[in-house]
Amino acid sequence: SSDIYTLTGDPLAVLHVQQAWTKTLATPWATIANPIHINLFLNPIEQVMTVAFLLLSLAALRVLPSAAFGVYSLLLILPPLLSGTLISTPRYYLVVFPVFIVMAMLGRRKTLHQALSLLLYTLLILFFAAWVRFYWVA
């Protein structure tokens, strides 16, 4: 079995290859405020989702029985926030299950549940329509 250094001559090749995707080390607030992205349609959606998952992760620290859930959520959200770009971050957030538990708890309120359902169904239809037309949606 070969290691990265033997193959490339660069022991940090795994990190250096990220530059091809315009990923560089950045502060979380800089990443959210000015994400580098090739698709201007997705920028606001990725920004809103990032802020929402960040806020819901902070809520998980207070609402869920163990603070470990909130810490887990924040640790999963941190790497994309430090990357300088929000490209494809929504798919990374799918594994942040404590956020979905908090959303389910918030869904007990009927009006909030209906508003979120309407918003998310609308986004689902928009993303599906874009995907069918071969636009980048992830």
Side-chain angles (χ1 to χ4, degrees):
S1 92
S2 299
D3 63 354
I4 294 294
Y5 180 75
T6 305
L7 291 173
T8 64
D10 181 7
L12 300 175
V14 174
L15 299 174
H16 292 149
V17 75
Q18 294 301 317
Q19 292 173 351
W21 293 96
T22 65
K23 292 188 179 199
T24 59
L25 189 59
T27 60
W29 49 90
T31 301
I32 292 171
N34 190 22
I36 302 167
H37 203 294
I38 54 174
N39 188 336
L40 296 178
F41 166 72
L42 290 177
N43 267 348
I45 294 169
E46 291 170 338
Q47 287 170 314
V48 168
M49 284 192 69
T50 299
V51 170
F53 269 75
L54 189 58
L55 293 174
L56 289 167
S57 294
L58 292 172
L61 283 169
R62 296 186 47 95
V63 176
L64 297 180
S66 173
F69 289 117
V71 172
Y72 172 79
S73 297
L74 291 170
L75 287 174
L76 285 177
I77 292 171
L78 188 61
L81 282 176
L82 296 175
S83 72
T85 181
L86 294 178
I87 295 173
S88 297
T89 52
R91 68 183 173 149
Y92 298 142
Y93 299 152
L94 291 176
V95 297
V96 187
F97 72 90
V99 165
F100 295 102
I101 296 171
V102 173
M103 285 175 51
M105 293 170 75
L106 290 171
R108 292 179 186 159
R109 299 179 183 147
K110 187 175 181 177
T111 53
L112 184 59
H113 171 76
Q114 290 173 339
L116 278 174
S117 293
L118 180 63
L119 172 70
L120 294 175
Y121 286 137
T122 303
L123 283 174
L124 176 67
I125 291 166
L126 283 172
F127 282 136
F128 182 71
W131 179 75
V132 167
R133 298 182 51 91
F134 298 104
Y135 287 102
W136 177 259
V137 294

